[in-house]
Amino acid sequence: KLKSVGQEAFADMVRSAATPARRSASGAKGKGIQLASATRTATLKTLLEDVGENAAPWRDGDTAAATRANVSDDGDDNVDVAGAVQQAGELAALLAGQRGLCIVQLWAAARPDEAWTHNPLVVRLLRMADKDDGVDAVLSIATRSGEPQAISLIVHATSPVGFTLRAEALTVMGAQAAMVPDSPKDKATIGRLLGYPCEAVREHIVHTHNQSWDDSDADQVEAKLAELGDVELPWRQEAPRLFAKV
């Protein structure tokens, strides 16, 4: 019951994501694609177990990316599913109380064919979030010249109120998972609002984007965060009972 989005609108969003249009191999709507074979590389159960054992790869940003596990049932270390489970893993970490906010990308004009919410792991975790009284969400829309460029869902814990205030601040900035702002300060602000450690934020700015970042810049961002109240992790001590039904 993600009240800030609107229960009916959110339900429609999940139903739409769960039922993508069937297309023929040529791309036209039709009888669907015929698969010769398929290999299962990840399941929600193994993802939740992995997050339960160590949520850091889905909570701590760039410094943890290299340690994110392959959530694979067949034990094949050559199957890299880290990218495919990133948003799902972040949602699972939030529901387990190990992070306070996460961004679920819904659409981006620059990548119109990328169906983020057609990922069944993301859809199932959004349904869990929808039934979780400790979780809410707001829409974040990025625009350019008045035209929408991307839409995402900021899913967040509702207590303490600092998480809600951080979610609202992210929507004001139009924060997206699929779009990175040019300004180092905006990068840092979004990263810190999402709860990433200072060192991960610095790594992202300096080494990933080759931009300068100094202590005075960091102090300004931390001062803004302080105005939004204190938050602590874990925000809940036990994962919801829904986890046990997976």
Side-chain angles (χ1 to χ4, degrees), residues 43-227:
T43 66
L44 183 57
K45 183 175 184 293
T46 53
L47 174 61
L48 294 179
E49 289 173 350
D50 204 51
V51 171
E53 291 175 5
N54 178 22
W58 291 279
R59 182 192 61 215
D60 295 341
D62 287 354
T63 56
T67 66
R68 187 178 288 119
N70 290 331
V71 188
S72 176
D73 274 353
D74 58 13
D76 185 352
D77 289 338
N78 293 319
V79 179
D80 181 13
V81 296
V85 300
Q86 180 175 348
Q87 288 200 133
E90 291 176 358
L91 268 170
L94 186 151
L95 293 175
Q98 293 298 320
R99 63 180 295 160
L101 307 95
C102 68
I103 300 179
V104 177
Q105 195 68 45
L106 302 178
W107 170 82
R111 295 157 66 180
D113 296 327
E114 188 134 13
W116 288 277
T117 53
H118 290 175
N119 182 326
L121 300 180
V122 172
V123 172
R124 290 185 68 184
L125 284 158
L126 282 174
R127 287 173 173 161
M128 288 184 181
D130 187 37
K131 297 176 182 178
D132 193 322
D133 290 338
V135 174
D136 204 344
V138 289
L139 284 175
S140 179
I141 303 174
T143 62
R144 181 180 299 151
S145 301
E147 293 296 320
Q149 297 299 307
I151 302 173
S152 65
L153 195 64
I154 312 294
V155 188
H156 63 91
T158 58
S159 180
V161 70
F163 287 129
T164 300
L165 295 176
R166 283 161 171 74
E168 291 171 353
L170 286 166
T171 64
V172 170
M173 297 183 71
Q176 308 291 321
M179 296 176 63
V180 180
D182 295 330
S183 160
K185 187 174 180 180
D186 286 347
K187 287 185 180 73
T189 301
I190 290 173
R192 292 293 289 133
L193 286 169
L194 287 167
Y196 293 118
C198 294
E199 58 271 21
V201 170
R202 179 181 293 276
E203 176 81 10
H204 184 69
I205 294 170
V206 175
H207 296 289
T208 303
H209 292 279
N210 297 313
Q211 294 177 306
S212 61
W213 187 245
D214 58 38
D215 290 341
S216 63
D217 296 324
D219 289 343
Q220 292 178 38
V221 172
E222 294 306 307
K224 180 174 182 177
L225 246 64
E227 295 174 359

